[in-house]
C-alpha cells in the first residue's frame, strides 16, 4: 500500500512558475503516477500522468507546453513543473498512483488506486 504526499503549492502571479512534488512511500511495484486538480465547484480533472512501463507522458490540452511531469526513481518522487501559470490553473493539486492506470490522448489520465491529500495552487495578481 502506498502513501502519497504532495508539496510545493502556494501563491504565484500569472506567468510565474511552481514545481510540485509527490513523495511516494511504501513502493514495492511499478506504479503509474498522475497529477490531478480540482477547483471549487468543478470536477477533478487529470492534468498529466507518466507510465511506469515505458515512461510515456500525457498532458491535458490546457497545460500542454506549459507543464512538465518527471520522475526521480532514486528519490521515489514525481514532479510537476508548472510554467506560464494562468489564473485558470488555480486548484488543489493531487497526485495519484495506480498499478495499471488508463492514460492517453483520448482518455486522459484515469486513476483508481491511491490518492494524496492535495496541495493548493493559487494563481492571482
Amino acid at each position: 500500500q502506498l502513501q502519497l504526499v504532495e508539496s510545493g503549492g502556494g501563491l504565484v502571479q500569472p506567468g510565474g512558475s511552481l514545481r510540485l512534488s509527490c513523495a511516494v512511500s511504501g513502493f514495492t511495484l511499478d506504479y503509474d503516477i498522475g497529477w490531478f486538480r480540482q477547483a471549487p465547484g468543478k470536477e477533478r480533472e487529470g492534468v498529466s500522468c507518466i507510465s511506469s512501463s515505458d515512461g510515456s507522458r500525457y498532458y491535458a490540452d490546457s497545460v500542454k507546453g506549459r507543464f512538465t511531469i518527471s520522475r526521480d526513481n532514486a528519490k521515489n518522487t514525481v514532479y510537476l513543473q508548472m510554467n506560464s501559470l494562468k489564473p485558470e490553473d488555480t486548484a488543489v493539486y493531487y497526485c495519484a498512483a495506480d498499478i495499471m492506470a488508463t492514460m492517453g490522448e483520448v482518455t486522459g489520465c484515469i486513476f483508481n488506486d491511491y490518492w494524496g491529500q492535495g496541495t493548493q495552487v493559487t494563481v492571482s495578481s
Side-chain angles (χ1 to χ4, degrees):
Q1 185 172 349
L2 301 185
Q3 183 178 20
L4 309 174
V5 180
E6 303 94 335
S7 62
L11 175 64
V12 65
Q13 295 184 356
S17 298
L18 285 173
R19 189 181 73 164
L20 305 183
S21 298
C22 175
V24 184
S25 61
F27 181 82
T28 58
L29 297 172
D30 288 333
Y31 283 85
D32 303 327
I33 304 294
W35 283 99
F36 296 74
R37 66 186 182 187
Q38 187 169 23
K42 300 180 66 177
E43 295 287 331
R44 184 175 296 182
E45 63 176 345
V47 176
S48 180
C49 46
I50 184 168
S51 170
S52 65
S53 60
D54 61 4
S56 298
R57 296 174 290 181
Y58 300 89
Y59 299 93
D61 288 341
S62 59
V63 307
K64 193 171 298 182
R66 300 188 297 120
F67 291 10
T68 303
I69 190 171
S70 62
R71 184 173 188 170
D72 187 333
N73 291 324
K75 297 181 178 180
N76 288 330
T77 302
V78 176
Y79 304 97
L80 184 68
Q81 178 67 45
M82 306 185 297
N83 298 326
S84 302
L85 283 163
K86 306 174 181 179
E88 307 94 272
D89 297 318
T90 296
V92 177
Y93 283 71
Y94 302 86
C95 61
D98 197 304
I99 193 168
M100 192 176 66
T102 298
M103 57 182 70
E105 293 296 324
V106 176
T107 60
C109 305
I110 303 176
F111 284 65
N112 294 310
D113 288 350
Y114 301 99
W115 294 86
Q117 292 301 116
T119 184
Q120 176 71 49
V121 172
T122 302
V123 184
S124 177
S125 60

